[in-house]
């Protein structure tokens, strides 16, 4: 089943492409500013190891190498809220911001919503259609062009915060890229407190949000070595399993950090 509202320009018209890029930069910058204020001024957010993701974003921009970030998925505004932890010059620059994979049946239900999310660099994925679908090809093409792509490999909002086996899409993006991208995981707690997953979905303020950023990972050497020993399917599974293990290792530490912070008084927090 194809995406109903696929609005990204095909590049055939330079004028349309330029207008689209300008509009996208505006939408991304506006959303980035709004959610940075929401994250850091209207709530109490603490980011551990922030420099790891900031330095990596700067590094890949200079080198032209692509970047994959991935995280748990606890609320419908995890993106772009959590990525507003970056510097102001990052969040206001649409060209530097991430592309993100989102659920087609949630974010692209109308042409108006599709236009907004498309301009916000969101790529609609049809859940259940597997890893070889047009949106995944599009995301892979972005990576091959040196872009930054964020993905929620749990595949859905994890309401119960259970251990969900990762979808293999992240494994495909990593193993089939022309040049192996740098990968940065991060785990967060508190997003579903500031934006509850129940009706009427009204944002709440003054909540504590904890984000723990993991070490940047370069799989280049391991991927090159295993390409001659494994099938494409085995490679995807192998690296997907590794990425899942690394994220859930962060989960334990992030959970303890968040518990400590929740026991503290709000005025003791540094945003």
């Amino acid at each position: 089943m194809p995406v109903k509202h696929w609005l990204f320009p095909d590049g055939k018209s330079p004028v349309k492409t330029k207008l689209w890029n300008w509009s996208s930069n505006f939408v991304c910058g506006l959303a980035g500013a709004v959610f940075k204020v929401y994250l850091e001024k209207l709530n109490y957010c603490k980011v551990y190891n922030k420099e790891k993701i900031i330095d990596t974003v700067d590094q890949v921009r200079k080198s032209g190498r692509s970047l994959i970030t991935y995280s748990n998925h606890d609320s419908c505004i995890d993106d772009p809220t959590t990525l507003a932890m970056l510097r102001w010059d990052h969040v206001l620059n649409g060209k530097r911001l991430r592309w993100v994979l989102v659920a087609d049946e949630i974010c692209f239900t109308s042409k108006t919503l599709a236009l907004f999310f498309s301009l916000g660099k969101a790529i609609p994925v049809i859940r259940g259609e597997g890893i070889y679908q047009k949106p995944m090809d599009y995301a892979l093409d972005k990576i091959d062009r040196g872009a930054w792509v964020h993905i929620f490999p749990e595949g859905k909002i994890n309401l119960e915060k259970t251990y969900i086996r990762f979808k293999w899409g992240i494994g495909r993006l990593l193993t089939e890229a022309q040049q192996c991208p740098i990968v940065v995981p991060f785990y967060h707690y508190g997003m579903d407190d500031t934006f509850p997953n129940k009706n009427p979905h009204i944002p709440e303020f003054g909540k504590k949000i904890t984000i723990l950023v993991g070490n940047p990972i370069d799989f280049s050497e391991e991927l090159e070595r295993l390409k001659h020993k494994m099938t494409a399917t085995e490679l995807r599974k192998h690296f997907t399993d590794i990425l899942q293990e690394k994220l859930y290792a962060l989960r334990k530490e992030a959970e303890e950090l968040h518990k400590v912070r929740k026991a503290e008084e709000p005025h003791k927090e540094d945003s």
Side-chain angles (χ1 to χ4, degrees), residues 6 34 36 44-45 47 52-53 60-61 68 73 90 103 116 126 145 173 189 203 205 209 228 233:
W6 186 267
V34 169
K36 189 165 182 64
Y44 298 99
C45 180
V47 184
K52 292 182 179 180
I53 189 169
V60 296
R61 179 174 177 267
I68 293 177
H73 200 6
H90 290 136
F116 174 75
I126 300 177
R145 295 172 183 266
L173 296 180
Y189 271 97
F205 308 115
I209 301 168
H228 306 291
T233 300

Side-chain angles (χ1 to χ4, degrees), residues 178-246:
Q178 292 177 6
Q179 181 184 20
C180 184
I182 298 294
V183 182
V184 178
F186 64 88
Y187 204 97
H188 56 83
Y189 271 97
M191 283 302 305
D192 51 341
D193 290 330
T194 188
F195 199 88
N197 292 311
K198 57 184 179 181
N199 289 327
H201 298 292
I202 297 176
E204 298 184 14
F205 308 115
K207 300 296 182 178
K208 295 186 178 181
I209 301 168
T210 303
I211 304 174
L212 176 62
V213 181
N215 292 320
I217 314 165
D218 187 348
F219 288 110
S220 296
E221 293 184 3
E222 183 177 0
L223 178 58
E224 190 62 31
R225 176 173 56 83
L226 293 178
K227 277 183 177 180
H228 306 291
K229 300 179 180 180
M230 293 182 173
T231 65
T233 300
E234 290 171 337
L235 279 173
R236 286 195 300 272
K237 181 182 184 303
H238 173 77
F239 285 102
T240 299
D241 289 347
I242 291 176
L243 293 172
Q244 176 167 323
E245 181 181 337
K246 289 185 178 296

Side-chain angles (χ1 to χ4, degrees), residues 42-43 72-73 85 88 107 115 144 184 195 243 252 254-255:
L42 301 181
N43 290 286
N72 56 308
H73 200 6
M85 64 176 146
W88 275 103
C107 299
L115 178 60
D144 286 339
V184 178
F195 199 88
L243 293 172
K252 297 177 182 178
E255 183 177 19

Side-chain angles (χ1 to χ4, degrees), residues 82-234:
T82 54
L83 290 171
M85 64 176 146
L86 297 172
R87 296 194 311 257
W88 275 103
D89 61 309
H90 290 136
V91 300
L92 292 178
N93 189 339
K95 293 181 180 180
R96 300 179 67 178
L97 284 179
R98 89 295 169 260
W99 289 83
V100 60
L101 298 172
V102 302
D104 175 75
E105 76 276 12
I106 295 177
C107 299
F108 281 63
T109 53
S110 69
K111 194 168 184 178
T112 300
L113 280 175
L115 178 60
F116 174 75
F117 281 105
S118 296
L119 289 172
K121 300 174 74 171
I123 304 171
V125 174
I126 300 177
R127 290 190 280 200
E129 290 292 304
I131 63 173
Y132 288 102
Q133 53 176 291
K134 181 179 179 179
M136 291 299 297
D137 295 340
Y138 191 77
L140 184 59
D141 179 68
K142 292 299 178 184
I143 289 175
D144 286 339
R145 295 172 183 266
W148 166 18
V149 173
H150 183 75
I151 186 170
F152 298 104
E154 290 172 317
K156 64 179 181 179
I157 295 176
N158 190 349
L159 297 174
E160 305 300 326
K161 293 184 172 61
T162 55
Y163 287 87
I164 298 178
R165 181 164 182 79
F166 278 13
K167 307 301 181 184
W168 285 10
I170 192 170
R172 184 194 173 198
L173 296 180
L174 175 67
T175 60
E176 294 188 17
Q178 292 177 6
Q179 181 184 20
C180 184
I182 298 294
V183 182
V184 178
F186 64 88
Y187 204 97
H188 56 83
Y189 271 97
M191 283 302 305
D192 51 341
D193 290 330
T194 188
F195 199 88
N197 292 311
K198 57 184 179 181
N199 289 327
H201 298 292
I202 297 176
E204 298 184 14
F205 308 115
K207 300 296 182 178
K208 295 186 178 181
I209 301 168
T210 303
I211 304 174
L212 176 62
V213 181
N215 292 320
I217 314 165
D218 187 348
F219 288 110
S220 296
E221 293 184 3
E222 183 177 0
L223 178 58
E224 190 62 31
R225 176 173 56 83
L226 293 178
K227 277 183 177 180
H228 306 291
K229 300 179 180 180
M230 293 182 173
T231 65
T233 300
E234 290 171 337

